[in-house]
Amino acid sequence: MALKIGIISQKGGVGKSTLSRLLAVEYSRNGWEVKIADMDLSQGTVTEWNRIRMENDIEPKIAVEQFMTVKDAIKQDAHYDLLIFDGEPHSTKKTLEIAQACDFMVLPTGVTVDDLMPTIKLAHELKRNGIDRKKIGIALSRVGDSHSELNGAKEYIEEAGYYYLGMLQEKTSIGQAHDSGRAANETAFKSVNQATDQFIQAIVDRMELVKTKA
Ligand SMILES: Nc1ncnc2c1ncn2[C@@H]1O[C@H](COP(=O)(O)OP(=O)(O)OP(=O)(O)O)[C@@H](O)[C@H]1O
Ligand SMILES: [Mg+2]
């Protein structure tokens, strides 16, 4: 049975597809058979990204497939070690279905209250629907240079009772990496890749801990 990770949010453009690609590359590098279930049929961001990745012959190769329903995606369970669900721009009924099917949920969000508030609202909604709080982690994405803004966002998440997973800084090189079929830890800059690897390792560690305690 595959480990299943859902990347979901209430708002669009907060880094779901960025995280999906990053996790897929990280686990693939470690020898896992990984598939990204692209649940965002309207944009197909990861599907298009993977087309460019294949054209550019980038290793490791990542499997990506678009699915209409969570039930269809789950049928892949036996064939992979890891299924990553890349969610839609807005939280829908499908978002809850993803959460119910997954072992761990990552909710990426921006640092402003405009972004944090709907993120916490979604996390509360998941909990109300029976999702264990421990299975939910919140990550900050596209973070700027302000330490106080970062600390404020971290506090906001923790005061709401959720686990803060870490942060990814806003970098031009990350956007450029995506455009060439690469993930945020495959940029042209070693320092960016190292920081991204640290971020992703913290997420992996948290998931391992939750899994062993389950
Ligand atoms: N840390 C970063 N630095 C620079 N650009 C970033 C970073 N993270 C994400 N981006 C860019 O921001 C945009 C939105 O990110 P992404 O596609 O991951 O969000 P999303 O939540 O999947 O969006 P949607 O809700 O539309 O599916 C993309 O163009 C992506 O390349
Ligand atoms: Mg997306």
Side-chain angles (χ1 to χ4, degrees), residues 54-73:
M54 286 188 287
E55 261 178 20
N56 290 339
D57 201 17
I58 298 165
E59 294 289 344
K61 299 268 189 307
I62 308 288
V64 179
E65 193 173 342
Q66 292 186 295
F67 292 100
M68 178 81 100
T69 67
V70 176
K71 209 171 143 196
D72 287 340

Side-chain angles (χ1 to χ4, degrees), residues 17 40 45 86:
S17 301
D40 178 10
T45 306
D86 185 37

